[in-house]
Amino acid sequence: MSDIPVDNTTLEPPTVVDVPPTPAELKEKYVKYAMRNMVKKGGKSLQHFALSAIGLMALFVGLAYLTR
């Protein structure tokens, strides 16, 4: 018999390491999805914006009236 050691371990394929996206890539994805969502919802986002603006103005006018 030979004196050569036998290694019976199997070679594992290299593992793929997921690299987390950079903050710039995350921002681009967020803007892309936000724009797509806004276009898909159409007038509903404009309606919500208008209601928020009117409510905020009413709050300011009300506070100005109460503190005069």
Side-chain angles (χ1 to χ4, degrees):
M1 297 221 175
S2 68
D3 292 330
I4 302 173
V6 178
D7 188 13
N8 288 334
T9 60
T10 59
L11 295 176
E12 296 179 11
T15 58
V16 177
V17 178
D18 290 332
V19 178
T22 63
E25 291 172 344
L26 287 176
K27 185 177 179 183
E28 288 176 12
K29 284 184 180 182
Y30 175 77
V31 170
K32 182 174 110 175
Y33 290 135
M35 294 294 286
R36 182 185 301 167
N37 192 26
M38 195 184 322
V39 169
K40 188 171 78 171
K41 293 201 176 199
K44 184 171 274 199
S45 58
L46 289 175
Q47 181 184 9
H48 288 165
F49 175 75
L51 287 173
S52 299
I54 292 169
L56 195 59
M57 290 303 293
L59 175 71
F60 289 152
V61 169
L63 287 173
Y65 178 75
L66 290 175
T67 59
R68 62 180 169 108

